[in-house]
Amino acid sequence: PAPALTWRGSLWASAVTQNRETSDGSLVFRPLEAGQGQFSLDGLMLGVDAAFAEGWSAKATLLAGQAGRNVQTATGETGGIATVEAMLVWTGQHDTFRAGRMITFIGMEFLDGTQNVTASRGLLFSFVDPFGQVGIHWHHAFSPVWSSELWVFNGEDRLKDNNHGKTLGLGITYNHRGSQDRYLSLHAYSGPEQ
């Protein structure tokens, strides 16, 4: 049988002004947004999920607009459309396993601006945190309240690795009374990625 397809999409835009002039008209510390007094398409995200038999699925997502250009720049590519997710997923009763290119788990801001709880981007998102990784991710739910995460990835914002090291990430999450909206999460990662 053919896989069941689920389409996803979102669109977000912004108009920005500042009281500080720059020589090139750009925004100070705001590389993900348009220049002074400009309206911009910050992002257009389009994705598809394909559900196969026995817990297997695939996920692919494209990102366009200013955010897509910034992801392409971070990966060393050109153009305005970036592949931010392309992965195979297996979901069991208590476990989820992902392999491929995935949006980063690092930080509280999302590439999809419609999911952000903040009205703007922070400096960590703009300059420090990667947009995505290529590797594997394992999520295990011990109960509706406690879960753990394990990541091993090969590069940040790159399809082609820039060194021979691997980066390891670990996480634990407490969901208050099983709520997905009230949680405390601690994640740590270490490795030679650049």
Side-chain angles (χ1 to χ4, degrees), residues 13 17 37 40 42 56 63 71 82 89 93 128 141-142 191:
T17 189
S40 82
D42 287 340
W56 288 97
L63 177 65
V71 170
V89 181
Q93 185 174 358
V128 180
F142 297 101

Side-chain angles (χ1 to χ4, degrees), residues 98 100-106 130 132-137 150-158 161-170 188-194:
R98 296 176 178 90
R101 180 170 175 81
M102 57 198 81
I103 294 174
T104 189
F105 67 95
I106 301 167
Q133 289 99 17
V134 176
I136 60 171
H137 169 227
L150 171 68
W151 295 268
V152 178
F153 49 91
N154 203 33
E156 294 180 347
D157 294 330
R158 289 171 185 81
D161 200 8
N162 62 351
N163 58 38
H164 296 291
K166 304 294 179 253
T167 294
L168 177 68
L170 298 170
Y189 69 102
S190 179
E193 302 308 325
Q194 302 169 6

Side-chain angles (χ1 to χ4, degrees), residues 18 20-28 34-38:
Q18 66 181 2
R20 183 174 177 182
E21 295 296 322
T22 59
S23 60
D24 64 356
S26 64
L27 295 176
V28 178
Q36 169 71 7
Q38 295 179 7

Side-chain angles (χ1 to χ4, degrees), residues 3 10 13 15 17 20 34 49-51 53 61 76 79 83 94 102 109 121 125 128 135 161 165 171 189:
S10 59
T17 189
R20 183 174 177 182
D49 300 331
T61 307
T83 303
H94 299 287
M102 57 198 81
E109 295 182 74
R121 301 289 190 184
F125 183 82
V128 180
D161 200 8
Y189 69 102

Side-chain angles (χ1 to χ4, degrees), residues 34-116:
Q36 169 71 7
Q38 295 179 7
F39 178 80
S40 82
L41 172 63
D42 287 340
L44 170 64
M45 190 171 274
L46 179 63
V48 63
D49 300 331
F52 305 110
E54 305 197 19
W56 288 97
S57 63
K59 184 175 189 173
T61 307
L62 296 175
L63 177 65
Q66 186 69 25
R69 281 190 293 281
N70 282 296
V71 170
Q72 287 291 80
T73 300
T75 62
E77 303 293 328
T78 59
I81 299 175
T83 303
V84 291
E85 288 182 311
M87 70 179 97
L88 187 61
V89 181
W90 178 82
T91 304
Q93 185 174 358
H94 299 287
D95 299 286
T96 302
F97 181 81
R98 296 176 178 90
R101 180 170 175 81
M102 57 198 81
I103 294 174
T104 189
F105 67 95
I106 301 167
M108 68 176 275
E109 295 182 74
F110 296 94
L111 267 178
D112 183 348
T114 63
Q115 294 182 17
N116 280 337

